[in-house]
Amino acid sequence: MNSFDTISVIEGNIVEQEVDAIVNAANNSLLGGGGVDGAIHMAAGPQLLEECRTLGGCPTGGARITRGYRLPAKWVIHTVGPVWQGGNAGEDSLLASSYRNCLELAAIHKIRSMAFPAISTGAYGFPPDRASVIAVTTIKDFLQNDDLLSDIRLVCFSRSAFCHYSSALNRIIGE
Ligand code: ADP
């Protein structure tokens, strides 16, 4: 699969994306929080929280899948990104692991289109210039061994996030 055609960066609200799966930047409890997590639970309705309660949480860097309920997306893939602690506490590899585990769940469920938020760059404080490079690189590497995913959107909630992620995409995929 050609990653240049597959990966796109858009400015928008992830809950509105008409894709097979949206990714939630959750916390370890998977029982709801603020930011994108709050927006996804609000839009999906209370059944999402009911299903999340059955999962027993998720480690940092891991991912879990649920139904999407009232969302346009059929699935929600919940991942827990690392909290930024200055950059020397394994944050880079944990963030890459979040993206990779989401992509692996997508492959298992034969998902063709999915949307990621800018994992860890909100309340968790990961610098977006560094997070965006990890996001694009990890997705690009995964696509080398995948032939089903054909639409991966990096959904940015602000103009500045959009600038970081599109610049990373142009630099890394343009190479
Ligand atoms: P984290 O705890 O992983 O940092 P946050 O939800 O605080 O998660 O933020 C992650 C990113 O998601 C931030 O860039 C934030 O601006 C963005 N975000 C918040 N709400 C939405 C939304 N509805 N759609 C897309 N992105 C969102």
Side-chain angles (χ1 to χ4, degrees):
M1 190 61 66
N2 179 344
S3 43
F4 193 70
D5 294 333
T6 304
I7 311 173
S8 58
V9 177
I10 60 172
E11 192 176 341
N13 187 338
I14 203 163
V15 305
E16 294 168 2
Q17 300 303 309
E18 299 195 358
V19 284
D20 296 337
I22 64 170
V23 172
N24 182 14
N27 58 39
N28 292 115
S29 75
L30 298 183
L31 298 181
V36 72
D37 194 355
I40 289 173
H41 276 276
M42 183 81 81
Q47 285 174 295
L48 179 61
L49 185 57
E50 273 174 42
E51 186 175 355
C52 284
R53 278 191 215 288
T54 68
L55 299 176
C58 179
T60 303
R64 301 287 184 266
I65 191 165
T66 65
R67 305 242 150 217
Y69 300 100
R70 294 180 195 158
L71 291 164
K74 181 176 180 193
W75 304 102
V76 179
I77 300 175
H78 307 261
T79 188
V80 185
V83 176
W84 180 254
Q85 290 171 17
N88 294 313
E91 295 96 323
D92 291 350
S93 64
L94 285 167
L95 186 61
S97 165
S98 273
Y99 279 93
R100 216 164 24 245
N101 281 313
C102 290
L103 292 160
E104 274 166 16
L105 276 178
I108 288 167
H109 291 268
K110 310 235 179 302
I111 284 162
R112 291 169 186 275
S113 56
M114 67 191 295
F116 283 95
I119 301 167
S120 282
T121 66
Y124 282 5
F126 208 117
D129 53 341
R130 189 155 157 169
S132 58
V133 169
I134 294 167
V136 174
T137 308
T138 308
I139 295 168
K140 180 189 177 193
D141 290 350
F142 187 87
L143 288 176
Q144 293 189 329
N145 294 305
D146 177 272
D147 51 13
L148 209 53
L149 278 162
S150 60
D151 175 5
I152 301 180
R153 304 176 193 175
L154 297 170
V155 181
C156 297
F157 207 47
S158 66
R159 175 55 37 163
S160 87
F162 174 81
C163 291
H164 284 295
Y165 283 75
S166 42
S167 140
L169 182 67
N170 290 334
R171 273 182 289 134
I172 293 160
I173 304 292
E175 277 167 2

